[in-house]
Amino acid sequence: MVKYSVVIPVYNEALVIRETYRRLKRVMEQTDGPYELLFVNDGSEDETIEILKELAVKDETVKYVDFSRNFGHQIAITAGMDYASGKAIVIIDADLQDPPELILDMIDKWKEGYDVVYAKRVKRKGETMFKKVTAYLFYRVLRAATEIDIPVDTGDFRLIDRKVRDQLVYMRERSRFVRGLVSWVGFKQTAVEYEREKRFAGETKYPLKKMIRFSLDGITSFSYKPLKLASLLGFFLSASSVLGIIITLYLKLFTHSTVAGWASLFMVTLLCNGIMFMMLGVMGEYIGRIYDEVKQRPLYIVKETWGVGTQYEKVPFYME
Ligand code: UDP
Ligand code: MG
């Protein structure tokens, strides 16, 4: 039984993984208990897994779970939490944007009695203006859209107590937004602040497409507000069309100025159709997720593990 588990999702991180290992190792050696470095290889196409194997053979604190293909960052974190056996579990990105040294501060907070210690970014270095702006907006929109209290500017870099993990493993929903789930379970939570470094090497694995998907997952899995907004918009449009009909009838019946031309008709048709399709899209986002959910497929498929127990031991209801 280890005291600390560090969960590191990796996807094509061959360029950084050795350095990440070195830095993590240095930090974890300063802690007061046995630890494990649990890498989750999310279907990397480069030499990531070979490097992991090499490290694992040399160092028994290195363990890994190797996926059968790429399942995505949030799923990789989930698997990490499933397999982690520590009393405190730290989730950290592999690219050293999250400074490993902060783990020591998190552990201090944990010892003070906090169950979740999340890292709050006060500054982001070496990221594009676009990423900064979209990230800023994303956290604010999410906060406005959802009822639960998801702290702004925090990623998945955090420490969670075993009892939080033991609750999280019961939440097998597919469109996963792990930081939301962690807020949702509650317990005593606090923050430590840090400056987000730039990536040590390699490129971001979150291109725009994945970022959008991720944001939609975040909002749809914690809020119906988009649906409510759609119906509100519907009511508003219906009300204004009644008004429009009354005005048109009045003009037609009691005055000589008939409403002119096709331009107005054309605009109304375009606008209404646009709004209608948008609402259908919003509904589609939810329906698609319901569809994913009812299929009840496993969240991920493991090809191979090293140093960890079987899936069944770790998540007892997994086979159900
Ligand atoms: N990652 C993953 N699967 C993916 C995409 C990313 O496991 O499909 C990992 C990646 O290796 C890294 C972490 O998730 O450790 C965060 O990814 P990245 O640094 O590319 O995201 P960014 O910091 O640019 O948001
Ligand atoms: Mg990164």
Side-chain angles (χ1 to χ4, degrees):
M1 214 29 196
V2 295
K3 188 164 182 185
Y4 302 108
S5 298
V6 184
V7 169
I8 313 120
V10 284
Y11 177 52
N12 294 344
E13 301 286 8
L15 292 175
V16 304
I17 206 165
R18 284 178 208 278
E19 179 65 14
T20 310
Y21 164 74
R22 207 180 55 78
R23 287 261 301 269
L24 279 173
K25 192 82 194 161
R26 207 171 54 198
V27 169
M28 295 314 288
E29 282 299 324
Q30 297 169 42
T31 59
D32 62 335
Y35 61 90
E36 61 184 1
L37 303 178
L38 174 52
F39 291 87
V40 181
N41 179 35
D42 188 11
S44 302
E45 291 110 36
D46 62 1
E47 304 81 66
T48 300
I49 190 66
E50 282 75 30
I51 300 173
L52 281 179
K53 284 183 178 168
E54 185 193 311
L55 294 174
V57 170
K58 276 194 283 194
D59 180 349
E60 61 168 15
T61 63
V62 174
K63 301 172 181 180
Y64 65 78
V65 173
D66 189 17
F67 280 178
S68 63
R69 64 167 170 86
N70 180 256
F71 282 90
H73 177 211
Q74 298 291 302
I75 305 268
I77 293 177
T78 305
M81 291 192 292
D82 289 348
Y83 280 93
S85 43
K87 292 193 171 63
I89 298 155
V90 177
I91 299 160
I92 188 168
D93 281 359
D95 58 359
L96 296 171
Q97 283 197 288
D98 306 332
E101 291 70 28
L102 204 70
I103 294 175
L104 298 174
D105 297 340
M106 291 179 169
I107 290 176
D108 287 343
K109 289 274 182 203
W110 176 63
K111 285 185 179 156
E112 282 172 28
Y114 289 99
D115 301 309
V116 176
V117 188
Y118 51 84
K120 188 171 160 67
R121 303 159 183 159
V122 287
K123 202 169 166 186
R124 283 169 173 263
K125 290 184 197 162
E127 284 182 305
T128 58
M129 201 58 207
F130 179 74
K131 175 105 184 182
K132 284 184 190 167
V133 171
T134 47
Y136 182 88
L137 287 176
F138 167 63
Y139 289 110
R140 268 86 196 158
V141 168
L142 188 72
R143 205 183 162 81
T146 56
E147 263 96 66
I148 56 157
D149 193 18
I150 301 173
V152 293
D153 302 327
T154 61
D156 289 306
F157 184 25
R158 58 186 62 209
L159 178 150
I160 61 171
D161 186 84
R162 180 119 204 125
K163 61 174 178 261
V164 177
R165 176 266 178 205
D166 287 347
Q167 297 304 320
L168 285 172
V169 291
Y170 282 97
M171 303 181 191
R172 305 312 279 182
E173 58 197 70
R174 256 124 274 262
S175 354
R176 297 185 82 75
F177 185 63
V178 174
R179 58 197 82 161
L181 295 177
V182 174
S183 299
W184 188 87
V185 293
F187 293 105
K188 215 172 152 201
Q189 312 212 352
T190 188
V192 290
E193 296 191 335
Y194 77 112
E195 294 189 1
R196 190 157 164 90
E197 296 294 327
K198 67 175 203 289
R199 207 172 220 289
F200 178 73
E203 279 171 5
T204 175
K205 308 297 180 303
Y206 264 101
L208 186 63
K209 205 172 125 203
K210 271 196 194 167
M211 260 162 63
I212 293 174
R213 179 118 296 261
F214 179 64
S215 320
L216 287 177
D217 276 348
I219 292 170
T220 51
S221 45
F222 286 96
S223 162
Y224 315 118
K225 272 194 189 154
L227 287 175
K228 284 192 199 149
L229 223 65
S231 49
L232 259 178
L233 206 61
F235 278 122
F236 177 73
L237 272 183
S238 313
S240 30
S241 50
V242 169
L243 203 70
I245 290 169
I246 294 173
I247 294 174
T248 317
L249 273 180
Y250 174 82
L251 290 176
K252 172 83 184 158
L253 295 176
F254 302 108
T255 68
H256 292 293
S257 65
T258 32
V259 184
W262 60 279
S264 48
L265 266 181
F266 189 64
M267 285 193 302
V268 170
T269 314
L270 278 187
L271 181 76
C272 288
N273 276 335
I275 291 176
M276 230 137 66
F277 279 112
M278 207 178 71
M279 289 178 175
L280 272 178
V282 171
M283 278 173 62
E285 287 295 329
Y286 284 88
I287 294 174
R289 284 174 173 78
I290 298 172
Y291 174 57
D292 268 347
E293 214 62 59
V294 294
K295 281 187 286 192
Q296 286 288 313
R297 293 196 184 147
L299 283 180
Y300 53 85
I301 295 171
V302 172
K303 187 159 73 182
E304 191 195 350
T305 60
W306 180 283
V308 291
T310 64
Q311 210 156 16
Y312 190 69
E313 273 169 46
K314 296 293 177 179
V315 189
F317 52 89
Y318 197 84
M319 309 300 279
E320 281 169 14

